[in-house]
Structure formats: C-alpha cells, structure tokens
Amino acid sequence: QVQLVESGGGLVQTGGSLRLSCAVSGRRFSSYTMGWFRQAPGKEREFVAARSRIDIMISYADSVKGRFTISRDNAKNTLYLQMNSLKPEDTAMYYCAASEGLLSKDRSDYRFWGQGTQVTVSS
C-alpha cells in the first residue's frame, strides 16, 4: 500500500511563496508518475503539475506556468511543488497523487492520493 502525506501549506499574502512537500511511503516512488492537483470550494479537482517517473516529461496547467515548479527527490521519496507569485485564485486544497502509468493531466489516471494541504492566499 502506498501512502502519500502532504505538508507545507498555509496562509500567504498575494505575491508570496510556499513550497509543498509530499512524502511517499514504499520503495517504488521512482517508478511512479507524480502529480499535484488542487480543489477550491465548490469546484472540481483540477490538474496543477505532473512529472514523469524518469523525469523526461513535465507538464503544468496554463494557470500556473512560469510560477510553479514541480520537482522530485527519488532518494528521499519526496515530491515538491514550489509556488511563487501566488494569487488569491491559487487558494485551494492541494493534493499529491501517484500514477503507475504515463504522464497525465487526468485525475482518474492517478491511483494513490494524499489527504491534502490547504493553501490560502490573501489579497
């Protein structure tokens, strides 16, 4: 069983930065495609960023391109999301997810999910 635990969320002002972390249990972290998704109140969960298991491919949602960076440390079984120039519309619960397949923006392709960490950006 794979467990994912997010951390690093919080309250930040517009223009500020946060770094989210996702610690993944198990020995197969390097074999998973990893992604970040977010869900704002009353909205569907949406794709933010993903990184393929062999780091050849990275994908970002248009809304975060140039501001967010997804990275992974396979030695530490940890996924990161560096978020800069935060905006109020970035306010959401952020989830990390693991997929045994190829890079995807579709949340249905991700089998394992964390419980989420809240990010709130004040104006």
Side-chain angles (χ1 to χ4, degrees):
Q1 184 70 16
V2 178
Q3 291 187 327
L4 291 75
V5 180
E6 302 95 336
S7 61
L11 174 64
V12 64
Q13 292 185 335
T14 296
S17 298
L18 283 173
R19 188 175 83 153
L20 306 184
S21 299
C22 175
V24 182
S25 67
R27 299 182 179 179
R28 295 182 56 213
F29 175 74
S30 61
S31 68
Y32 294 121
T33 288
M34 297 298 300
W36 287 99
F37 292 76
R38 66 186 182 187
Q39 187 167 17
K43 294 188 177 181
E44 290 191 353
R45 192 169 298 189
E46 65 175 6
F47 171 78
V48 175
R51 193 170 184 118
S52 65
R53 56 180 176 257
I54 50 177
D55 284 349
I56 289 179
M57 297 176 65
I58 300 174
S59 180
Y60 293 98
D62 288 342
S63 59
V64 307
K65 244 175 228 179
R67 300 187 299 122
F68 290 11
T69 302
I70 185 171
S71 61
R72 62 192 295 166
D73 186 334
N74 288 340
K76 295 183 178 180
N77 280 17
T78 303
L79 179 74
Y80 302 99
L81 185 68
Q82 178 66 44
M83 305 186 296
N84 299 328
S85 302
L86 283 161
K87 305 174 182 180
E89 51 264 43
D90 295 318
T91 295
M93 185 72 78
Y94 282 71
Y95 299 89
C96 71
S99 168
E100 295 167 306
L102 300 176
L103 191 74
S104 172
K105 298 181 180 181
D106 188 342
R107 62 181 186 264
S108 67
D109 289 330
Y110 290 80
R111 180 179 177 188
F112 305 105
W113 291 83
Q115 294 300 307
T117 185
Q118 178 68 39
V119 171
T120 303
V121 185
S122 62
S123 56

